[in-house]
């Protein structure tokens, strides 16, 4: 998959795609339906138009972290879905100020040369969200590109949405989130140097930052781990702690991942960590021996959960 960070001066072979357009935070089953509809719309390379930073981050910078995915995680997921081109448009004052008509004319046609655009039924675009899916269809007829409006989907009880998924994750309901996402919720990023306490306790961990993300319920999870870079690329199983490590004072939230039966240096490599099942909340223990005993129980529980995966 090729990633383009602007709509201007694109090479000829990056133009003329059939595109799905939206924020695609989480890339849940509703998003998948939009992407699948774009794929089926016409015989052209498949593209996704999204925005970085998320428009809400730009327009309301004081908002608490809400993103389910960072840009790296979103790109990784879209590549797995067979997307040919990711148009990660810079959301800035210029883009935010474009009217729906100017966005369609300058970005979609003049910049990307799209053949077809697919959006969800609740899509809005342009300055102050003035345009909707029907506006886009009208502009497509005027400017020469096709449009498809994909219906919202759900399971009869809940409409699949990023909001519903955030709620499930905040409550530790990983499997409910997976049902709406169509995949396990993942945290992707680089392995950073930490305090190395886990190694001293017999549980070496790969430490990952979680700044800017909506944080699932703090605690311990059974996880599936993809090592995306380096000599040890591959898929593994493990157990992870998400939170502030109350046993060791006040700390910034992070993700500490212990990979089972693995002994290699992962510093600087990139991981994708799937939160499969919530095991327990964070806790402070009376001693390091009590902590290690609980870690042993956590690992055994995670191994049992992941045995068939």
């Amino acid at each position: 998959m090729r990633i383009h960070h602007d709509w201007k001066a694109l090479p000829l072979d990056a133009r003329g795609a059939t595109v799905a357009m939206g924020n695609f935070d989480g890339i849940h089953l509703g998003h998948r339906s939009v992407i699948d509809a774009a794929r089926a719309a016409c015989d052209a390379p498949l593209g996704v138009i999204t925005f970085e930073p998320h428009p809400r981050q730009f327009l309301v910078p004081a908002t608490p972290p809400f993103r389910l995915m960072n840009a790296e995680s979103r790109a990784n997921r879209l590549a797995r879905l067979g997307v040919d081109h990711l148009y990660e448009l810079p959301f800035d004052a210029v883009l935010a100020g474009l009217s729906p008509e100017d966005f369609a004319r300058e970005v979609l046609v003049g910049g990307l040369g799209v053949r077809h655009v697919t959006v969800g039924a609740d899509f809005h675009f342009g300055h102050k969200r003035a345009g909707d899916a029907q506006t886009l269809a009208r502009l497509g007829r005027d400017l020469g590109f096709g449009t498809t409006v994909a219906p919202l989907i759900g399971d009869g009880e809940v409409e699949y949405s990023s909001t519903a998924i955030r709620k499930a994750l905040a409550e530790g309901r990983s499997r409910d989130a997976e049902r709406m996402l169509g995949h396990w919720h993942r945290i992707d990023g680089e392995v950073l140097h930490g305090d190395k306490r886990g190694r001293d306790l017999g549980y070496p961990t790969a430490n990952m930052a979680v700044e800017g993300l909506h944080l699932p319920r703090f605690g311990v999870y059974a996880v599936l781990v993809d090592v995306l870079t380096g000599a040890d690329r591959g898929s593994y199983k493990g157990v992870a702690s998400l939170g502030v490590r109350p046993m060791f004072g006040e700390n910034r939230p992070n993700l500490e991942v212990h990979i089972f039966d693995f002994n290699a240096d992962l510093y600087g490599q990139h991981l994708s960590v799937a939160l499969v099942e919530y095991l327990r909340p964070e806790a402070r223990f009376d001693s390091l021996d009590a902590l290690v005993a609980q870690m042993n129980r956590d690992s055994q529980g995670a191994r049992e959960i992941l045995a068939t995966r």
Side-chain angles (χ1 to χ4, degrees), residues 195-206 258 262-267 295:
D195 297 327
K196 299 179 175 61
R197 293 192 186 98
R199 187 174 301 277
D200 294 336
L201 298 174
Y203 281 91
T205 59
H258 173 69
F262 184 89
N263 185 24
D265 184 350
L266 289 174
Y267 293 121
M295 293 167 69

Side-chain angles (χ1 to χ4, degrees), residues 1 51 58 89 106 132 151 153 174 189 196 204 213-214 237 286 305:
M1 183 179 74
F51 308 94
F58 178 81
L89 305 186
E106 296 179 22
D132 58 15
I153 66 169
S174 298
K196 299 179 175 61
L213 295 176
H214 168 81
K237 300 174 181 178
D286 294 334
I305 288 167

Side-chain angles (χ1 to χ4, degrees), residues 7-8 26-27 35 43 50 106 116-117 120 200 202 220-221 223 237 257 271 273 292 306:
W7 71 85
K8 303 170 185 174
I27 312 183
I35 294 169
D43 184 15
T50 189
E106 296 179 22
H116 197 99
V117 182
D200 294 336
V220 178
Y221 290 81
V223 297
K237 300 174 181 178
V257 184
L271 307 187
V273 181
V292 171
L306 300 172

Side-chain angles (χ1 to χ4, degrees), residues 151-222:
L152 303 179
I153 66 169
D155 60 6
E157 296 181 6
V158 63
E159 181 181 292
Y160 296 153
S161 70
S162 298
T163 299
I165 293 164
R166 291 185 194 103
K167 184 175 188 296
L169 291 170
E171 296 172 355
R173 294 185 286 113
S174 298
R175 293 183 184 272
D176 286 345
E178 188 270 341
R179 177 171 51 84
M180 291 181 278
L181 286 164
H183 57 85
W184 298 112
H185 176 65
R186 288 179 173 269
I187 297 174
D188 292 17
E190 182 179 356
V191 177
L192 307 173
H193 286 275
D195 297 327
K196 299 179 175 61
R197 293 192 186 98
R199 187 174 301 277
D200 294 336
L201 298 174
Y203 281 91
T205 59
N207 300 295
M208 298 167 61
V210 293
E211 281 86 4
L213 295 176
H214 168 81
L215 295 180
R217 185 181 181 187
F218 285 177
V220 178
Y221 290 81

Side-chain angles (χ1 to χ4, degrees), residues 26 63 73 91 134 205 211 260 306:
T63 190
S73 184
F91 196 88
Q134 287 66 43
T205 59
E211 281 86 4
F260 296 144
L306 300 172

